[in-house]
Each structure stands twice: as structure tokens, then as C-alpha cells.
Amino acid sequence: MGYDDKINNASENAAGKLKEGAGRATDNERLEAEGRNEQAGAKLKQAGEKIKDAFRS
């Protein structure tokens, strides 16, 4: 996995955490769910990149 991919995935995960926290603080269920979905997407991308790296080695 390239460093740029790692940074992008980490920033997407962090943005998801912020959205989820903001949704909780404002009692906005839609924003909270959107944040959880972004985190899940970032984790899925990270897993895919790790699998790619395993086959390259």
C-alpha cells in the first residue's frame, strides 16, 4: 500500500469519526450514520490494499 493511499484512508476514517461525533452531539442520526459509513468504507479500502500488498510480496 502506498503512503498516499494510507493517508487518504486515514483521513477518510478521521472525517467519518468527526461526522459521527458531530451527529451524536447534535442528535442528528443521519450525520452519525453517514460518519459510520465513511469509517467502514475507509476500513474496507485499507483491507483491500493489504490484500494487494500480500500478493505482491
Side-chain angles (χ1 to χ4, degrees):
M1 176 177 348
Y3 288 114
D4 55 336
D5 290 333
K6 285 183 181 182
I7 291 170
N8 288 338
N9 291 338
S11 66
E12 189 174 331
N13 191 26
K17 286 183 182 187
L18 285 173
K19 276 188 181 180
E20 183 181 5
R24 269 196 207 127
T26 60
D27 202 26
N28 185 337
E29 292 179 10
R30 182 175 161 262
L31 187 61
E32 189 176 345
E34 190 175 315
R36 281 193 303 265
N37 285 337
E38 283 187 15
Q39 289 178 61
K43 288 178 184 178
L44 188 62
K45 287 178 187 177
Q46 286 175 336
E49 291 295 329
K50 286 181 182 180
I51 290 171
K52 282 185 199 176
D53 286 346
F55 282 109
R56 288 184 190 155
S57 297

